[in-house]
Amino acid sequence: MNKDIFLLNSLGGKKEKFNPIDKKKVGMYVCGPTVYDDPHIGNARPLVVFDLLFKVLKCKYGNKSVTYVRNITDIDDKIIQSSKKKNISITELTTSVTTKFHNDCNYLNCEVPTYEPKATDNIELMVKMIKELIKNEFAYENEKHVYFKVKKYEDYGKLSNKNIDDLIAGSRVELSDNKENPGDFVLWKPSIDDEPSWDSPWGRGRPGWHLECSVMSKKYLGNTFDIHGGGRDLIFPHHENEIAQSVCANRTQSFANYWVHNGFITMSKEKMAKSQGNILKISDFKKKYNGQILRLALISAHYSQPLDWNDKLMDECQKTLNKWYGCYVKVNKKVLIDDEDLKPLYDDLNTPGYIAVLHKLYDKAKGGRQEDKEIFTTACKFIGLLDQTKEEWNSFKEQNLKLSESEILKKINERNEARNKKNYELADKIRNDLLDKGILIEDKDGKTTWKIK
RNA sequence: GGUAACGUGGCGGAAUGGUUACGCAGAGGAUUGCAAAUCCUUGUAUCCCGGUUCGAUUCCGGGCGUUACCUCCA
């Protein structure tokens, strides 16, 4: 469609019209997981949010014109610690967490990104970038460590609205005698004992955090690209450091033109985070809830706002999808969604606004016209909802059923006999018993049907 | 301490310099033996104090409150 896309750019803090560098090569880089532990609901938010942005960009610029890169960080101190704690090898840990991560993405109905590079496959390029930084005098070696010289880069702190002196005054940065300045961050560090290591001009070691994103975005999207995404908590230091490294190594004016950051999932209004110990793993929901329910819940607030996670939210979303499946139809032809209906998504990914549109389309679809149902279903599918058939949706619910179908039908017969005898007390008891087991009875047009609550 | 974000009806949650968000819950009705589900109808809101303005919930300033980042974090 011809409408413009607007994005809230963290670099500057204003909503801006999105102008790609090249309409035929739109690039988006999103920080993926560090694979040291099972993904949780907080991790799920950027997965869904940027999956949606990917869809919106493709809608505007064409499927082949958008490149979505999401990294997998498979070397990091947390990984080393976690593998020691779990007493398994690094590879064993990273491959198993990566597999879980992919399963979770699939569960949430997220598309596979165009590229999903691993940090360990790109160490050479990281070494190369460090060499470049040293050559440009933005980095220095000391005791087998290489550090980035924060004071040398004058725009340091621009993204996060910080100035270096304040940071140091806060004295919460890691102090080290090796550093010229406490704010400097590590680009390369030596590995000890059996820690994973690679050869480098500074001895066997491994890269610092931040570096993989600078290197892999460059590899797939170039020195300067359109959109960089991630969680709010990555703004500092991670994204600030990425910018510093990339701009100073590549000698460019800018790194990513638009920075998009999602807000946090909270539990009782407090940030859900591993360090807080209040996380809910994505996999914990798989048995009880269809992934679409989580997906809807995750986009029920605007991506930039905090979203409080609780059972009521899940119940509401489940209810909504149950209702919406009432108007689901199989769509075999291409159905166009009205520009006006897509508008909220183009306007900084306003998902609550789009959900309101879906409710409106549902109201129209329930009038019964096939065409309206096709439009409604297509509009839902655009954001990855109602992507399963009605049968799949229902059969998911049946997998947790405690009664067999024949048992249910038997109970229904018993109840109908009681009703014929006007023994309503017994009839109601049977109905309530079934309801306790999650079976909902509906008497309609003289027939009794059942479904899962 | 420094830097930000947020404060909308019972709850969740958009938008907006003057006009209906939307959903859930509630109320009334249709239907039903009673329900459920579904359908129809419907009430309720912009933290406080100033300023700009014909007019502010929206812009500006101050206050109060909540949260986050400044250390690993999506």
Side-chain angles (χ1 to χ4, degrees):
Chain A
M1 103 174 158
N2 286 324
K3 288 191 165 33
D4 293 318
I5 292 174
F6 286 84
L7 293 172
L8 176 65
N9 192 352
S10 305
L11 195 63
K14 292 203 174 75
K15 191 150 90 174
E16 296 172 27
K17 181 177 159 188
F18 175 65
N19 286 317
I21 298 163
D22 181 349
K23 285 181 179 183
K24 289 182 176 155
K25 287 181 187 169
V26 178
M28 173 164 77
Y29 186 93
V30 176
C31 287
T34 299
V35 284
Y36 71 103
D37 209 351
D38 297 351
H40 61 80
I41 294 294
N43 304 115
R45 194 172 194 190
L47 295 178
V48 171
V49 164
F50 293 104
D51 181 59
L52 273 187
L53 186 50
F54 186 36
K55 286 170 173 22
V56 169
L57 290 169
K58 284 195 293 182
C59 181
K60 166 118 180 126
Y61 298 101
N63 286 348
K64 288 179 181 169
S65 302
V66 184
T67 305
Y68 173 21
V69 183
R70 185 182 60 206
N71 63 290
I72 288 182
T73 299
D74 56 353
I75 175 62
D76 177 85
D77 286 0
K78 292 191 295 292
I79 292 174
I80 296 171
Q81 283 163 20
S82 181
S83 85
K84 278 180 184 160
K85 199 173 155 194
K86 288 174 178 158
N87 201 24
I88 52 175
S89 74
I90 303 267
T91 318
E92 208 178 325
L93 175 68
T94 56
T95 48
S96 88
V97 175
T98 302
T99 303
K100 284 177 187 172
F101 172 73
H102 285 144
N103 288 340
D104 289 347
C105 289
N106 196 30
Y107 170 61
L108 294 167
N109 201 21
C110 292
E111 289 180 60
V112 178
T114 323
Y115 299 104
E116 203 171 26
K118 288 180 189 169
T120 53
D121 290 339
N122 293 281
I123 303 287
E124 267 180 50
L125 288 173
M126 297 191 213
V127 169
K128 196 177 159 198
M129 187 172 272
I130 296 171
K131 280 184 189 166
E132 204 64 29
L133 284 167
I134 293 174
K135 196 180 99 192
N136 297 348
E137 295 179 355
F138 284 101
Y140 56 92
E141 185 196 357
N142 194 355
E143 297 289 327
K144 296 184 178 177
H145 289 71
V146 183
Y147 294 99
F148 185 91
K149 205 184 289 184
V150 158
K151 285 262 183 186
K152 181 83 191 290
Y153 175 51
E154 59 182 17
D155 278 346
Y156 192 78
K158 206 174 162 192
L159 177 71
S160 53
N161 293 305
K162 296 184 191 306
N163 73 67
I164 306 170
D165 296 329
D166 284 347
L167 289 174
I168 296 158
S171 78
R172 294 174 97 164
V173 285
E174 187 194 344
L175 293 168
S176 165
D177 291 340
N178 296 330
K179 292 183 186 178
E180 287 179 8
N181 185 305
D184 293 350
F185 58 92
V186 73
L187 297 168
W188 190 266
K189 61 172 130 186
S191 295
I192 49 163
D193 302 332
D194 55 346
E195 287 172 355
S197 62
W198 290 263
D199 277 325
S200 84
W202 320 284
R204 282 194 77 77
R206 59 183 190 274
W209 182 27
H210 328 305
L211 202 55
E212 77 276 21
C213 292
S214 285
V215 159
M216 297 192 289
S217 60
K218 178 186 168 89
K219 180 174 175 182
Y220 293 100
L221 302 173
N223 289 344
T224 303
F225 56 93
D226 298 309
I227 299 170
H228 191 126
R232 282 203 96 78
D233 46 0
L234 296 179
I235 293 175
F236 190 90
H238 186 55
H239 290 160
E240 198 70 70
N241 293 356
E242 270 185 56
I243 294 172
Q245 290 163 347
S246 295
V247 169
C248 298
N250 302 329
R251 292 187 168 283
T252 50
Q253 283 300 307
S254 62
F255 177 46
N257 290 330
Y258 300 84
W259 287 84
V260 180
H261 290 105
N262 63 271
F264 302 126
I265 300 287
T266 59
M267 294 271 281
S268 307
K269 306 282 178 194
E270 279 187 7
K271 182 185 174 187
M272 182 187 288
K274 279 162 189 163
S275 52
Q276 303 265 29
N278 61 350
I279 58 161
L280 296 171
K281 290 179 181 178
I282 299 172
S283 56
D284 291 342
F285 291 85
K286 280 184 183 164
K287 279 189 179 169
K288 195 172 172 192
Y289 295 103
N290 188 300
Q292 293 186 69
I293 298 168
L294 275 77
R295 195 172 167 96
L296 180 57
L298 286 165
I299 59 173
S300 64
H302 188 257
Y303 75 84
S304 67
Q305 297 301 121
L307 171 63
D308 205 54
W309 196 264
N310 52 57
D311 288 345
K312 196 185 169 218
L313 175 66
M314 296 296 281
D315 289 345
E316 278 187 21
C317 291
Q318 181 159 34
K319 214 171 185 175
T320 299
L321 285 164
N322 260 330
K323 193 173 86 171
W324 283 357
Y325 261 105
C327 279
Y328 170 90
V329 284
K330 275 187 184 153
V331 184
N332 297 317
K333 60 184 181 205
K334 191 167 170 68
V335 177
L336 284 178
I337 307 168
D338 200 87
D339 278 6
E340 204 52 36
D341 290 339
L342 279 175
K343 212 172 156 188
L345 288 179
Y346 274 55
D347 185 11
D348 196 29
L349 227 54
N350 182 355
T351 49
Y354 190 71
I355 290 169
V357 167
L358 292 178
H359 281 294
K360 186 195 78 182
L361 295 176
Y362 170 82
D363 283 341
K364 205 171 175 195
K366 77 191 174 192
R369 282 179 59 201
Q370 179 72 9
E371 194 192 336
D372 291 333
K373 288 184 176 181
E374 285 175 353
I375 291 170
F376 168 70
T377 307
T378 305
C380 288
K381 283 188 171 186
F382 183 73
I383 55 167
L385 297 174
L386 264 57
D387 222 20
Q388 297 174 314
T389 63
K390 204 168 177 175
E391 290 71 32
E392 285 168 326
W393 169 257
N394 285 327
S395 70
F396 179 90
K397 294 191 281 184
E398 284 171 28
Q399 73 185 22
N400 292 319
L401 211 53
K402 292 181 182 99
L403 291 175
S404 71
E405 188 170 2
S406 60
E407 284 174 304
I408 294 165
L409 292 176
K410 200 178 142 203
K411 289 281 179 194
I412 288 174
N413 275 334
E414 284 174 25
R415 173 168 169 273
N416 281 339
E417 277 175 36
R419 289 172 75 206
N420 288 336
K421 290 172 188 164
K422 298 208 190 294
N423 184 354
Y424 294 121
E425 205 178 321
L426 177 63
D428 289 350
K429 187 186 177 302
I430 295 171
R431 184 176 62 204
N432 288 332
D433 285 350
L434 284 172
L435 191 62
D436 286 343
K437 285 166 184 158
I439 310 297
L440 208 66
I441 298 291
E442 293 176 18
D443 299 320
K444 208 169 155 188
D445 303 329
K447 280 181 185 171
T448 302
T449 56
W450 65 277
K451 63 182 182 187
I452 298 145
K453 194 179 162 189

